[in-house]
């Protein structure tokens, strides 16, 4: 009987020790899980704080987007710049996709609407020159809208055309430093053009042409705010025409332009410091 009791006590002790070990092991795991959960939660909060801070910092910037051209061109002439004797059509017809048959004014509006959404998601204030193809707004009037809004950046979305179907790639356009209408803001316009072009090429992987400095663009000459024209690619190049119609490439276009705008303001802030 005594031997039996000793066995029972021994087994009970082993069971008790096993239960204690399990409790200690589970408690350690729970503590470890709490530490991991806390670390993950802190990382998420930190990331949300960074995103929120970024959006808040962008909220002070006002971006005006001009989807180039319109459903019907306006061949009536207007001065190429304030007080100029030289004139140009108020709104040219634009080009057309050689493979897709899509008109430039259709593509520019599609990209502009997507860009609006992306910039707003980054916290920017956005004003659209047009949200429909059925408008009649001259180039000088488009510039005046950006001027009156006191835009921090005026982004004019276009696509290119050429007699040479092999031409491919993206460029941006701004005025020269000797522009008689707005040469004083040349450096800002050039910086905006360069930042957007570099980020655009990084995002899309397309051929990089250059920042074209010219005083022939009435939509630039009438501006008193930082402005650039983005020539996204050649609709007269069959391959480039087709790829610019794909959702995947359009997403790259939008991200590239938006990233370029981010880079521009970061550069402006550094220069301001």
């Amino acid at each position: 009987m005594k031997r039996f009791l000793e066995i029972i006590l021994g087994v009970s002790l082993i069971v008790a020790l096993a239960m204690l070990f399990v409790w200690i092991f589970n408690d350690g795991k729970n503590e470890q899980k709490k530490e991991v959960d806390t670390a993950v939660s802190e990382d998420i909060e930190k990331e949300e704080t960074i995103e929120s801070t970024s959006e808040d910092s962008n909220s002070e910037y006002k971006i005006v987007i001009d989807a180039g051209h319109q459903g019907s061109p306006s061949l009536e002439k207007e001065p190429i710049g304030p007080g100029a004797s030289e004139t140009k059509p108020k709104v040219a017809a634009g080009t057309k996709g050689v493979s897709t048959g899509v008109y430039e004014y259709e593509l520019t509006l599609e990209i502009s609407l997507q860009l609006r959404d992306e910039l707003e998601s980054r916290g920017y204030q956005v004003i659209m020159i047009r949200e429909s193809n059925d408008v009649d707004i001259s180039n000088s009037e488009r510039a005046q809208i950006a001027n009156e809004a006191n835009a921090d950046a005026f982004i004019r979305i276009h696509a290119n055309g050429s007699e040479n179907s092999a031409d491919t790639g993206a460029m941006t356009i701004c005025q020269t430093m000797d522009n008689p209408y707005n040469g004083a803001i040349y450096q800002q316009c050039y910086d905006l053009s360069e930042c957007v072009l570099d980020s655009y090429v990084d995002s899309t992987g397309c051929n990089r042409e250059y920042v074209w400095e010219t005083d022939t663009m009435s939509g630039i000459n009438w501006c008193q705010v930082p402005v650039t024209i983005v020539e996204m690619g050649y609709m007269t190049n069959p391959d480039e025409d087709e790829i610019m119609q794909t959702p995947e490439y359009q997403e790259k276009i939008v991200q590239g332009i938006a990233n370029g705008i981010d880079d521009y303001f970061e550069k402006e802030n550094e220069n301001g410091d």
Side-chain angles (χ1 to χ4, degrees), residues 11-48:
V11 171
S12 298
L13 180 60
I14 291 171
V15 171
L17 289 172
M19 292 178 65
L20 179 61
F21 175 77
V22 169
W23 180 82
I24 292 173
F25 178 74
N26 285 337
D27 188 57
K29 285 181 66 178
N30 288 336
E31 286 299 320
Q32 187 178 25
K33 184 175 184 301
K34 287 179 182 178
E35 291 176 1
V36 171
D37 288 346
T38 300
V40 170
S41 177
E42 289 176 350
D43 286 343
I44 291 174
E45 289 179 3
K46 187 183 297 182
E47 186 174 329
E48 289 177 344

Side-chain angles (χ1 to χ4, degrees), residues 158-263:
H158 284 256
N160 226 333
S162 172
E163 293 181 0
N164 183 357
S165 63
D167 284 344
T168 181
M171 71 167 63
T172 51
I173 306 173
C174 71
Q175 73 276 52
T176 73
M177 67 174 63
D178 297 321
N179 185 289
Y181 312 108
N182 55 13
I185 58 170
Y186 159 78
Q187 192 60 55
Q188 289 173 284
C189 297
Y190 181 85
D191 289 345
L192 177 61
S193 299
E194 187 175 49
C195 286
V196 169
L197 181 58
D198 287 346
S199 292
Y200 186 98
V201 171
D202 286 344
S203 179
T204 63
C206 74
N207 175 48
R208 186 190 193 280
E209 292 202 298
Y210 53 92
V211 177
W212 179 25
E213 299 178 38
T214 177
D215 297 331
T216 63
M217 303 294 175
S218 54
I220 290 179
N221 292 339
W222 282 90
C223 284
Q224 297 301 318
V225 295
V227 57
T228 187
I229 294 176
V230 184
E231 295 284 1
M232 300 179 289
Y234 286 83
M235 299 186 80
T236 47
N237 178 292
D239 293 335
E240 203 153 64
D241 173 37
E242 290 176 10
I243 198 171
M244 285 193 292
Q245 294 301 324
T246 64
E248 296 80 11
Y249 195 77
Q250 289 185 358
E251 171 67 15
K252 293 177 181 179
I253 287 174
V254 168
Q255 291 298 321
I257 297 172
N259 291 342
I261 293 170
D262 286 346
D263 292 346

Side-chain angles (χ1 to χ4, degrees), residues 61-67 125-130 137-156 182 185 189 192 218-228:
Y61 297 122
K62 190 178 298 180
I63 313 298
V64 176
I65 301 174
D66 176 24
Q125 303 175 59
V126 180
I127 295 172
M128 299 291 290
I129 296 295
R130 68 180 182 93
I137 311 172
S138 76
N139 284 314
S140 66
E141 290 170 337
R142 295 172 192 231
Q144 192 58 34
I145 291 171
N147 292 340
E148 291 176 356
N150 196 26
D152 295 288
F154 183 26
I155 309 298
R156 307 187 64 216
N182 55 13
I185 58 170
C189 297
L192 177 61
S218 54
I220 290 179
N221 292 339
W222 282 90
C223 284
Q224 297 301 318
V225 295
V227 57
T228 187

